[in-house]
């Protein structure tokens, strides 16, 4: 095998490896990005629910209990 054949084979193998590995890696990165956005949205919804629960008005206790009226 000549040096030119070796480099040609090495280039072909490198391109093949890149073609096999790059698309799945890009897909994985997209899925991770979408998952991060969903996690952030879920955390925001949870925080909004907790803030809504915390801002509910308390029930006024102005009326006396029935046993106190007598």
């Amino acid at each position: 095998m000549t040096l030119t054949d070796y480099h040609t084979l090495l280039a072909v193998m490198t391109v093949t490896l890149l073609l096999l590995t790059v698309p799945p890696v890009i897909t994985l990165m997209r899925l991770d990005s979408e998952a991060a956005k969903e996690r952030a949205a879920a955390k925001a919804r949870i925080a909004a629910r907790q803030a809504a629960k915390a801002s509910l008005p308390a029930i006024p206790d102005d009326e006396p209990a029935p046993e106190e009226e007598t």
Side-chain angles (χ1 to χ4, degrees):
M1 180 185 311
T2 64
L3 191 59
T4 305
D5 291 340
Y6 173 76
H7 285 294
T8 304
L9 183 61
L10 185 62
V12 168
M13 290 174 59
T14 303
V15 169
T16 304
L17 182 63
L18 288 175
L19 289 174
L20 291 173
T21 57
V22 170
V25 169
I26 291 173
T27 303
L28 182 64
M29 291 170 56
R30 285 183 184 159
L31 290 174
D32 185 48
S33 175
E34 291 174 9
K37 289 177 186 176
E38 290 177 10
R39 281 192 302 270
K43 286 181 182 179
R45 286 193 304 269
I46 291 170
R49 285 186 197 143
Q50 290 176 347
K53 286 180 184 177
S55 66
L56 290 176
I59 298 174
D61 196 20
D62 294 338
E63 299 178 16
E67 60 270 359
E68 292 178 3
E69 291 179 2
T70 60

